[in-house]
């Protein structure tokens, strides 16, 4: 999860998030190059007193600075579209979880385990154990296996919510009357945190999401849910 002095993105826990981080670095490098070029041109304009009459009417230069931005946009658009299609790719999932947003908590349903349903509330500060994170810890975590495709079915019971886990590269809106879906494959075990990312009312900041990712062999041994 993020820490107080973190500047970049959180460490990736899924292939999609690794692709997003790579694209972020790719786009940021292009932005740095454009910014440096513009600042350098401004510096020369402000410090040079000579005027070159050859550039007052230069068709070749105008052609270059018209075509070059188009090429840069293509270099940004192609990997962006690739990642966009990857995020919409729904393979054969090993497990399906339904997340339902409420004001102001999440409800989860394990559709492959006999309709196991439970609510996930944020723990008040008085109930926190040493090492628990304030405003992020919940009473019932979502336990999921790693190295297995998981499909999340996300909806809402009342207002707009957004089910977001940054380490997995997931952010899907929960809309009343509509069922959205997303898929992910976690690559590392651990506990990962997220929050509702859609302003949904007075207690919007009190809707944490906690995923506990464990090895597939342990998950298949039997129920590991603490309700």
């Amino acid at each position: 999860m993020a820490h107080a002095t973190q500047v970049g993105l959180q460490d990736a826990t899924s292939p999609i998030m690794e692709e997003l981080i790579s694209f972020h670095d790719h786009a940021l490098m292009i932005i740095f190059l454009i910014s440096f070029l513009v600042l350098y041109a401004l510096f020369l304009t402000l410090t040079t007193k000579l005027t070159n009459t050859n550039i007052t009417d230069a068709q070749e230069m105008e052609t270059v600075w018209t075509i070059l931005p188009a090429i840069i946009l293509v270099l940004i658009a192609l990997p962006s579209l690739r990642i966009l299609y990857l995020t919409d790719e729904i393979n054969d999932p090993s497990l399906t979880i339904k997340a339902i947003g409420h004001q102001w908590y999440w409800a989860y349903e394990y559709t492959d385990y006999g309709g196991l349903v439970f609510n996930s509330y944020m723990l008040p500060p008085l109930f926190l154990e040493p090492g628990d994170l304030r405003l992020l810890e919940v009473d019932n975590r979502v336990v999921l296996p790693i190295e297995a495709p998981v499909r999340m079915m996300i909806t809402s019971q009342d207002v707009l919510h957004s089910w977001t886990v940054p380490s997995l590269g997931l952010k899907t809106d929960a809309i009343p009357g509509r069922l959205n879906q997303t898929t992910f494959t976690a690559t590392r075990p651990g506990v990962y945190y997220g929050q509702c990312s859609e302003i949904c009312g007075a207690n919007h900041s009190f809707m944490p999401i906690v995923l506990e990712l464990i090895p597939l062999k342990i998950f298949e041994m039997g129920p590991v849910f603490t309700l």
Side-chain angles (χ1 to χ4, degrees):
M1 63 168 295
H3 53 80
T5 58
Q6 183 170 336
V7 177
L9 302 173
Q10 297 185 23
D11 293 338
T13 316
S14 68
I16 292 296
M17 189 57 188
E18 292 176 0
E19 293 285 345
L20 289 172
I21 293 176
S22 177
F23 174 70
H24 168 269
D25 297 340
H26 168 74
L28 198 61
M29 183 58 64
I30 294 177
I31 292 173
F32 281 153
L33 293 175
I34 294 174
S35 300
F36 175 79
L37 180 61
V38 172
L39 291 175
Y40 180 70
L42 288 174
F43 175 77
L44 291 181
T45 302
L46 294 175
T47 57
T48 303
K49 297 181 180 180
L50 299 177
T51 301
N52 191 344
T53 57
N54 293 327
I55 64 173
T56 56
D57 184 18
Q59 298 296 329
E60 295 81 4
M61 180 179 296
E62 293 180 2
T63 303
V64 169
W65 71 40
T66 301
I67 296 178
L68 188 60
I71 296 176
I72 293 174
L73 290 177
V74 170
L75 293 176
I76 295 176
L78 291 180
S80 175
L81 289 174
R82 175 177 174 271
I83 296 175
L84 183 62
Y85 279 101
L86 286 176
T87 56
D88 287 337
E89 186 78 18
I90 305 296
N91 297 319
D92 186 20
S94 301
L95 183 66
T96 299
I97 308 294
K98 185 178 181 181
I100 305 172
H102 299 267
Q103 288 183 311
W104 287 273
Y105 64 95
W106 293 98
Y108 297 96
E109 178 179 346
Y110 284 72
T111 58
D112 300 320
Y113 285 84
L116 174 64
V117 180
F118 62 91
N119 297 328
S120 182
Y121 292 90
M122 185 193 72
L123 282 180
L126 293 177
F127 293 89
L128 294 177
E129 299 291 338
D132 288 345
L133 300 173
R134 179 177 173 270
L135 301 182
L136 287 178
E137 197 58 64
V138 297
D139 54 354
N140 297 314
R141 295 175 174 177
V142 181
V143 182
L144 296 173
I146 65 172
E147 299 178 347
V150 178
R151 176 172 58 186
M152 295 295 305
M153 312 291 288
I154 301 167
T155 186
S156 174
Q157 191 71 24
D158 36 49
V159 299
L160 291 176
H161 300 281
S162 186
W163 199 83
T164 305
V165 182
S167 294
L168 293 171
L170 297 177
K171 185 180 186 298
T172 304
D173 288 341
I175 303 173
R178 179 172 178 174
L179 195 63
N180 292 328
Q181 68 175 352
T182 186
T183 183
F184 67 92
T185 302
T187 56
R188 295 185 299 173
V191 179
Y192 300 94
Y193 297 88
Q195 288 179 302
C196 175
S197 298
E198 189 75 39
I199 299 178
C200 55
N203 293 330
H204 155 68
S205 57
F206 305 131
M207 289 184 63
I209 301 164
V210 183
L211 303 183
E212 185 174 345
L213 304 179
I214 61 176
L216 182 59
K217 292 182 178 180
I218 299 178
F219 186 85
E220 291 176 341
M221 290 175 60
V224 291
F225 313 106
T226 303
L227 304 179

